[in-house]
Amino acid sequence: MIPLTDAERAVYYPADRRFRVWIRPSVLIMIAMLVLVPLSVAWVQARLWGFPYIAPNPAAMPGTATGPHGFPAWVRWCHFFNLFFIFMLIRSGLSILMDHPRLYFNDGCTPGSEWIRFTPLKVPKDRLWTAKDDNRYISPVVGLPGYSHSIGIGRCWHFLNVYGFVLTGFFFVSGLLTSNQWERLVPASWGIFAQAWSTFVYYANFHLPPEPNGFYGYNALQQLVYFATIFIMAPLAILTGMAMSPALVNRFPRYPRLFGGRQGARSIHFLVLVGFVYFIIAHVTLVALTGFRRNMNHIVLGVDNTSPNGMVLGLIGLALVVLSWVVAHYISWYFPRGLQHVSRTLTEPVKLLTLDRLSPQQRYTKEQISPYFWPNGKLPVRDEWKQLVAGDFKDYRLKISGMVENPVELSLDDLRALGEEETITMHHCIQGWSGIAQWNGVPLRRLVEYVRPKPGAATIVFHSFGPAPLGGHYYDTQSLYNAMKPECMLAYGMNGQPLPATYGAPLRLRVENQLGYKMVKWIERIEFVESEKLVGKGEGGSNEDEEYFDLLPNI
Ligand SMILES: Nc1nc2c(c(=O)[nH]1)N[C@H]1C(S)=C(S)[C@@H](COP(=O)(O)O)O[C@H]1N2
Ligand SMILES: [Mo]
């Protein structure tokens, strides 16, 4: 157990650590059908007609091995690195999932509309229940880094390992295409489906089909599954991952529709994870059942014999992978700041060159506004704010100070006079939920032009009346560059009404190419400074300081 202060314990290791999976009954029936129908057909077929004949794979017949055979070093190394990266991605992915333990196929994420949830809780209707109240604990044995609300660190691992996963995939596919190894994987005729079914009839009846020597060729089902894992599941994981990026989705709102919307993409991303886990279990079981030593020699040493060397070396490799989880856990909890900085150094330049250049350009209609919008954050408790609420914000003055030529205090009417804009946008919370809403407010660039930043001012700090998660007040920053983007606004209206207290009254930020935590609610004052390094702990915001979130969350 890592040492935690009481405040940290309340966040990371809550008293309620129960875990439950609930699946919508109709989905459960669908899953049962998908599993049981093929199994029963295979059982009946074997009972009535016996096991089907499976023609030997010509590539794998002794002495006639003509096609590609063996496992060249690049295949073996890619296999090892892939194993390493996929486990990191699965483990960190599970930690991320538990921060909003519900999956939907609708972008409003209305409670009760999820098809699966990983929490025993139903959302209470009689009191304010924020998305942060809803996150769940996950054991660090399963998740990376595990515990509750450790999504910032989980994302550091996830995005660092995405590089490794994608690079490994790139090398592997390049290798396939520049050798004849692809012939082992890519089906050459439709007949493979019939053969794969025949193979399945054996497995479904707990029999092993006549197995070819994998050094020379695979059985039909094996080939199909490998093909699908490499050429369907892996690309789908990447494409649905990208469909969760606020910068991409809000520049190309049609893209996530390929996956049934932003939440469809998130659900499919999860289903791919399930697919990978399922694949790993089936693959490892069959590797063990069909000649463990020989198979391990194939994939570890690239030789076809039954010496124990490949097995021993392979198990050492696996032990190293498990050790990497322990090391990652240790880094997560003892050097989170270092991890955050490594992650930033490696991911920020890529984002600056790509996602950050996309300007939000959304065209949602009023009909698409979500019936429900998850609230987040802690409501202000300060008397000043309560008095402003009581007075309908007539006495509210937004103070703008710091490195500006024209420091001002503006009422809501003054702000309106600067120019009003209206947008309908999709909000993406780091936790995973989304929602479409209409916002009214003054474009931030109008305000910037009005107060005229002094040379050298590069960062705008937004201070909130509300408290930060671990004490102090909530704040966050925007680069001057991003503040000038379209759809970046200080909003005082939501869905045609004055901004409700829960959603940030009197004034909140909207930044549509970034995640929700950048959008400070209940804004008290704004300050122009040289750099975010001069504020708070210098990471760019309350969450960046305390929870190791990204300074630049375009994804
Ligand atoms: N002051 C303050 N602003 C905040 C937060 C907070 O905790 N305090 N949470 C942020 C997060 S994590 C999100 S997702 C959005 C949520 O906005 P909503 O309540 O309108 O959904 O507000 C952001 N602004
Ligand atoms: Mo959020």
Side-chain angles (χ1 to χ4, degrees):
M1 179 75 203
I2 44 154
L4 294 174
T5 65
D6 281 349
E8 288 170 339
R9 218 179 151 81
V11 176
Y12 299 128
Y13 198 70
D16 180 2
R17 298 188 299 280
R18 287 171 302 154
F19 174 77
R20 288 256 198 318
V21 182
W22 173 91
I23 303 177
R24 178 175 287 278
S26 55
V27 176
L28 207 57
I29 292 169
M30 213 168 72
I31 297 171
M33 300 282 276
L34 279 176
V35 175
L36 290 181
V37 168
L39 279 181
S40 356
V41 175
W43 285 328
V44 170
Q45 179 180 342
R47 288 301 157 278
L48 293 184
W49 293 285
F51 286 106
Y53 168 73
I54 291 182
N57 179 345
M61 285 199 288
T64 60
T66 48
H69 60 266
F71 294 89
W74 60 267
V75 172
R76 290 178 274 131
W77 279 109
C78 282
H79 182 264
F80 177 75
F81 279 112
N82 189 57
L83 175 131
F84 174 84
F85 291 122
I86 201 82
F87 269 111
M88 284 282 179
L89 288 171
I90 289 174
R91 287 166 49 78
S92 54
L94 289 174
S95 248
I96 294 169
L97 173 67
M98 293 309 278
D99 228 64
H100 188 71
R102 301 166 192 270
L103 293 169
Y104 320 77
F105 274 94
N106 71 86
D107 287 336
C109 305
T110 308
S113 71
E114 62 266 27
W115 63 269
I116 187 169
R117 64 170 174 259
F118 309 88
T119 165
L121 304 183
K122 281 193 173 177
V123 172
K125 294 213 165 100
D126 54 341
R127 62 196 148 108
L128 179 64
W129 183 256
T130 67
K132 291 249 167 84
D133 296 325
D134 203 52
N135 71 53
R136 296 304 292 177
Y137 170 88
I138 178 171
S139 161
V141 176
V142 182
L144 175 63
Y147 296 87
S148 193
H149 203 56
S150 51
I151 191 170
I153 303 171
R155 279 167 56 95
C156 288
W157 289 115
H158 209 68
F159 293 130
L160 283 175
N161 283 286
V162 159
Y163 283 120
F165 178 71
V166 171
L167 270 181
T168 307
F170 177 78
F171 277 120
F172 182 70
V173 173
S174 312
L176 286 183
L177 297 180
T178 50
S179 70
N180 57 0
Q181 284 282 335
W182 61 270
E183 292 170 27
R184 294 165 72 103
L185 293 167
V186 181
S189 82
W190 293 108
I192 191 167
F193 287 100
Q195 289 171 34
W197 172 260
S198 298
T199 317
F200 175 75
V201 173
Y202 283 79
Y203 293 132
N205 286 280
F206 297 103
H207 278 65
L208 285 180
E211 294 283 5
N213 180 341
F215 201 69
Y216 300 100
Y218 302 134
N219 78 40
L221 184 61
Q222 186 180 16
Q223 182 181 354
L224 265 189
V225 171
Y226 288 3
F227 177 80
T229 306
I230 297 163
F231 293 103
I232 299 177
M233 293 215 311
L236 203 55
I238 297 168
L239 293 175
T240 52
M242 292 185 349
M244 288 188 272
S245 147
L248 200 76
V249 169
N250 285 341
R251 170 65 183 81
F252 303 105
R254 287 198 186 152
Y255 171 62
R257 284 194 221 159
L258 287 174
F259 311 104
R262 200 285 184 187
Q263 293 301 322
R266 181 166 174 258
S267 288
I268 294 171
H269 203 68
F270 169 77
L271 289 171
V272 173
L273 176 150
V274 174
F276 277 128
V277 171
Y278 188 76
F279 173 82
I280 292 167
I281 294 171
H283 179 59
V284 171
T285 308
L286 284 166
V287 163
L289 288 181
T290 60
F292 190 53
R293 282 193 186 190
R294 187 182 283 274
N295 287 333
M296 288 299 274
N297 279 333
H298 292 171
I299 200 60
V300 178
L301 296 171
V303 296
D304 184 33
N305 61 42
T306 54
S307 86
N309 298 350
M311 183 177 71
V312 172
L313 212 62
L315 290 177
I316 293 176
L318 277 181
L320 285 177
V321 171
V322 175
L323 182 70
S324 76
W325 305 345
V326 178
V327 173
H329 174 81
Y330 188 79
I331 294 175
S332 301
W333 292 105
Y334 290 93
F335 305 100
R337 189 69 75 205
L339 178 64
Q340 179 190 29
H341 287 171
V342 169
S343 176
R344 180 190 291 185
T345 310
L346 290 178
T347 57
E348 204 172 84
V350 178
K351 281 188 266 186
L352 285 172
L353 280 176
T354 55
L355 293 175
D356 199 47
R357 298 199 170 192
L358 305 175
S359 288
Q361 200 179 311
Q362 312 186 62
R363 271 179 228 96
Y364 296 103
T365 60
K366 284 211 164 98
E367 289 69 48
Q368 287 170 293
I369 290 176
S370 306
Y372 182 88
F373 203 91
W374 277 86
N376 228 348
K378 289 184 189 164
L379 270 163
V381 288
R382 282 169 50 191
D383 286 338
E384 287 107 307
W385 183 75
K386 288 181 183 161
Q387 278 157 16
L388 288 173
V389 176
D392 236 359
F393 299 106
K394 295 231 162 34
D395 297 330
Y396 174 71
R397 296 290 176 275
L398 171 69
K399 295 173 232 16
I400 303 169
S401 62
M403 298 173 68
V404 290
E405 306 284 355
N406 181 27
V408 284
E409 296 199 1
L410 302 172
S411 68
L412 287 177
D413 283 339
D414 297 334
L415 283 167
R416 268 192 201 93
L418 287 180
E420 178 158 2
E421 225 166 65
E422 188 174 287
T423 59
I424 303 179
T425 58
M426 191 189 290
H427 177 100
H428 301 247
C429 173
I430 190 170
Q431 299 184 278
W433 57 270
S434 55
I436 300 173
Q438 184 190 46
W439 305 99
N440 288 71
V442 52
L444 203 53
R445 58 172 190 285
R446 291 280 168 78
L447 194 77
V448 170
E449 284 156 9
Y450 185 67
V451 298
R452 298 192 307 275
K454 290 186 179 160
T459 299
I460 314 179
V461 192
F462 300 83
H463 296 278
S464 173
F465 285 108
L470 291 173
H473 74 274
Y474 193 98
Y475 82 96
D476 208 284
T477 59
Q478 279 295 317
S479 67
L480 204 47
Y481 161 73
N482 209 50
M484 306 302 276
K485 286 218 178 98
E487 300 188 359
C488 187
M489 68 155 77
L490 286 171
Y492 40 71
M494 178 185 190
N495 296 340
Q497 304 286 328
L499 192 60
T502 311
Y503 295 98
L507 204 59
R508 71 167 302 165
L509 196 53
R510 294 299 315 168
V511 188
E512 307 300 350
N513 64 335
Q514 300 187 349
L515 292 175
Y517 66 87
K518 302 296 288 184
M519 308 182 201
V520 179
K521 305 200 295 185
W522 311 292
I523 295 176
E524 179 183 19
R525 59 193 175 90
I526 295 178
E527 201 185 345
F528 283 67
V529 296
E530 242 178 313
S531 153
E532 79 283 347
K533 296 197 175 61
L534 305 171
V535 197
K537 292 189 181 167
E539 302 298 333
S542 300
N543 287 299
E544 292 88 328
D545 286 348
E546 306 297 344
E547 315 235 14
Y548 313 100
F549 285 11
D550 292 329
L551 175 66
L552 186 64
N554 297 139
I555 191 159

